[in-house]
Amino acid sequence: MSTPKHVARSRVVRDTYCDSLRLLVATSVMSEQAGVSWAGAVMATPSGRESLADEGFGEEVIGTAGSNDLVLAVRASDETAAQAALDSGADAVYAQASDEQGDTAAAPPRSMERAVEQMPDATVAVVSVPGDYAAVEAHHALSAGLHVLLFSDNVSIEEEAELKRRADELGLLVMGPGAGTAVISGVGLGFANAVRRGPVGVVAAAGTGAQEVSALLDRWGVGVSHVIGVGGRDLSEDIGGRMAKAAVRALDQDPETEAILLVSKPPSEAVAREVLGQCTSTPAVATFLGLDELETPPGVRLARTLETGALAAAKLVGVTPPATSAGVREQVVDGIAALDDRRRVIRGYYSGGTLCYEAQLIIGELLGNVYSNEPLRSEQALPAPPGAHVLLDLGAEEYTVGRPHPMIDPGLRLELMLDEARDPEVAVVLLDVVLGYGAHEDPAGRLAPVLKEIMSEGGPRVVAYVLGADTDPQGYAEQRAALERVGCLVTETAARAAYAAAAIASRRPEITELNR
């Protein structure tokens, strides 16, 4: 009898609620076990059950599990590997619960009211529950007088608008929904980097955009006073920039903030003008990616990339950072020399959505013919048009259903790169490596062997950017060195990586010295 290619096993843990971060960690731990081809840790909510069913774990497997029950599921090479992976997932869940409880005898709170009783001095509530319940919990936090970091997504636009209207009336902030990053008075929330305190305040409707500019300011010795992530839809007409305006007003009045840096993907122009109008006494820079022309108030300037925005903010507080393109042209020339002439296209595999969008803008302006996730969301499937440069945001929802975010687990990127990047037309593999709290403990260590294999025997060049601060737990210098040791071209900023990729693909080294 032949041996089956895999076994599928699951385990239901009753009455064990886990927020999205804990689920992602448990999924990542199981995925990394030997012999595992797929793993997922989900709550058995209707959407969770649907995602499990898509992977073959239907009603007959998870039975009567309900919204407060945790389901661990794996596909593995054999029974032993499957059970070991399930055990590792359960251990990860219980270890996190133990860490959160600490040495205290008090049981973890099961309601916002109980949490406030246990921590009466708290000023911020982090809400990370399934989207169906997120708005209700955020309202409970506002009723308790707390600012809210709403990490959850799948919150409707109507719920978001009502939450932010109410928060505005109460003089509170709702950061989110889908707010992955904030740093308040030196304390990082969500996916945050270990950045130093300093005079620049950041307001961002873009998670990795906030991380990029704050990490650059840290590495240049500037630092940030606060990083306030307001959620990707805040500057839309539906929301009207309520929280961005409130955040700018707060920073404008903050004695520790000497300059304000705003970051967003394309906003509503009318809303963007209203937000910039809140800067009454503090000089400001706005990087509204994809919006290059906008009438701004006195004391406010526009920047076209995250790099130039951070540079301008640094100069406002008296710091002139070092050149970001130093040494890149020489490496690009070497990379071009190593390529067969057929190799002319770029493949980008990003974990940061804002970094991916910025790269699409830069490469699209320089080379044209860029293909991204957006056609996928419009039900236009790959393959891309011939000769297209394909840049994908692997943190987008179509890639993360039932899988951990690529910042936490690089497994999906490894699969895609091995499947696609050795195409004989590919000149450059372009990627980001995001460090910080909540990210994988050694992303470069996981990626480097595969990247080395991709570049071997005349394969494409790899251009990488490490988004991180000097004191991030993964070690910024160590992560860069791991990639450089296998031959990657590692740039100083995310924008520089896009320029370098475009220069190699087009055989035009002078592109590396451009500055949008």
Side-chain angles (χ1 to χ4, degrees):
M1 182 181 293
S2 62
T3 302
K5 293 183 179 180
H6 69 264
V7 297
R9 296 290 182 267
S10 64
R11 185 178 301 173
V12 177
V13 187
R14 301 287 181 180
D15 296 320
T16 302
Y17 177 75
C18 294
D19 64 24
S20 56
L21 282 175
R22 289 170 65 185
L23 294 174
L24 289 172
V25 170
T27 300
S28 180
V29 168
M30 292 190 293
S31 299
E32 293 179 1
Q33 302 305 305
V36 173
S37 58
W38 179 88
V42 302
M43 299 305 298
T45 60
S47 60
R49 295 174 73 93
E50 183 179 346
S51 67
L52 286 170
D54 289 342
E55 294 293 338
F57 296 87
E59 298 290 335
E60 72 283 359
V61 177
I62 60 177
T64 60
S67 295
N68 287 320
D69 299 328
L70 168 68
V71 180
L72 305 173
V74 299
R75 284 197 297 272
S77 56
D78 54 44
E79 186 70 31
T80 300
Q83 294 303 325
L86 292 173
D87 289 343
S88 72
D91 289 345
V93 169
Y94 294 134
Q96 291 175 79
S98 176
D99 290 344
E100 290 166 6
Q101 186 171 347
D103 297 328
T104 65
R110 299 180 68 85
S111 69
M112 187 66 67
E113 292 77 8
R114 180 60 178 154
V116 172
E117 288 176 10
Q118 289 191 11
M119 301 181 65
D121 296 329
T123 59
V124 179
V126 179
V127 176
S128 180
V129 300
D132 292 343
Y133 314 106
V136 171
E137 291 302 325
H139 276 296
H140 288 164
L142 292 176
S143 296
L146 299 173
H147 301 289
V148 177
L149 181 93
L150 187 48
F151 190 84
S152 306
D153 53 15
N154 295 314
V155 175
S156 72
I157 193 78
E158 294 80 13
E159 289 173 322
E160 179 178 349
E162 172 57 22
L163 277 169
K164 291 183 172 179
R165 181 200 61 77
R166 185 170 176 230
D168 206 16
E169 292 174 354
L170 294 171
L172 297 170
L173 289 173
V174 171
M175 296 171 276
T181 299
V183 181
I184 308 298
S185 299
V187 178
L189 303 172
F191 292 108
N193 299 93
V195 292
R196 72 187 77 199
R197 298 294 301 278
V200 178
V202 178
V203 177
T208 46
Q211 287 185 265
E212 166 73 336
V213 297
S214 59
L216 290 177
L217 291 167
D218 174 86
R219 299 206 305 266
W220 295 336
V222 179
V224 297
S225 56
H226 307 278
V227 178
I228 303 174
V230 296
R233 299 183 302 204
D234 193 78
L235 275 73
S236 68
E237 291 186 8
D238 290 323
I239 306 300
R242 278 189 183 273
M243 291 298 99
K245 287 186 278 190
V248 170
R249 288 195 299 269
L251 292 176
D252 195 44
Q253 297 166 14
D254 176 27
E256 295 183 359
T257 300
E258 300 173 17
I260 298 172
L261 175 55
L262 294 101
V263 175
S264 176
K265 292 181 183 179
S268 157
E269 292 191 26
V271 173
R273 283 192 291 269
E274 291 178 11
V275 171
L276 296 180
Q278 307 301 307
C279 302
T280 59
S281 60
T282 307
V285 180
T287 299
F288 295 141
L289 293 173
L291 180 59
D292 295 333
E293 295 184 6
L294 183 71
E295 184 178 348
T296 61
V300 179
R301 60 158 293 184
L302 287 183
R304 300 182 73 196
T305 64
L306 300 169
E307 173 189 318
T308 54
L311 283 166
K315 291 178 181 178
L316 285 175
V317 297
V319 176
T320 301
T324 58
S325 59
V328 175
R329 180 167 181 153
E330 292 79 4
Q331 294 182 74
V332 164
V333 170
D334 292 341
I336 292 171
L339 288 178
D340 184 284
D341 193 58
R342 293 175 300 166
R343 296 187 177 276
R344 293 280 177 168
V345 299
I346 299 167
R347 292 289 181 267
Y349 304 99
Y350 277 84
S351 62
T354 311
L355 304 190
C356 184
Y357 185 74
E358 179 183 58
Q360 291 165 5
L361 290 175
I362 292 172
I363 293 170
E365 182 178 275
L366 293 170
L367 307 183
N369 202 14
V370 170
Y371 190 85
S372 70
N373 294 54
E374 296 304 323
L376 295 179
R377 298 186 182 121
S378 302
E379 300 182 355
Q380 177 185 342
L382 288 174
H389 309 288
V390 180
L391 285 84
L392 300 177
D393 167 19
L394 299 181
E397 61 183 17
E398 58 261 36
Y399 293 110
T400 56
V401 175
R403 306 191 64 136
H405 193 282
M407 289 185 197
I408 296 173
D409 179 10
L412 176 60
R413 280 209 283 189
L414 296 175
E415 293 174 19
L416 287 175
M417 287 190 293
L418 285 171
D419 287 345
E420 302 173 7
R422 292 305 299 268
D423 184 305
E425 293 186 353
V426 176
V428 181
V429 171
L430 176 62
L431 72 155
D432 61 347
V433 178
V434 180
L435 311 182
Y437 300 109
H440 190 280
E441 62 184 11
D442 182 21
R446 286 285 307 279
L447 291 163
V450 172
L451 300 178
K452 181 178 181 180
E453 179 182 343
I454 287 170
M455 289 185 287
S456 65
E457 300 178 1
R461 301 298 88 193
V462 174
V463 177
Y465 171 62
V466 178
L467 192 171
D470 289 333
T471 55
D472 274 332
Q474 296 87 349
Y476 173 74
E478 292 84 354
Q479 292 291 302
R480 282 197 59 149
L483 298 174
E484 290 170 339
R485 279 195 297 272
V486 297
C488 299
L489 193 169
V490 184
T491 62
E492 294 296 323
T493 74
R496 288 295 130 198
Y499 285 121
I504 293 172
S506 66
R507 310 304 197 267
R508 294 157 55 197
E510 66 275 10
I511 285 177
T512 59
E513 294 165 5
L514 295 177
N515 194 21
R516 291 181 81 247

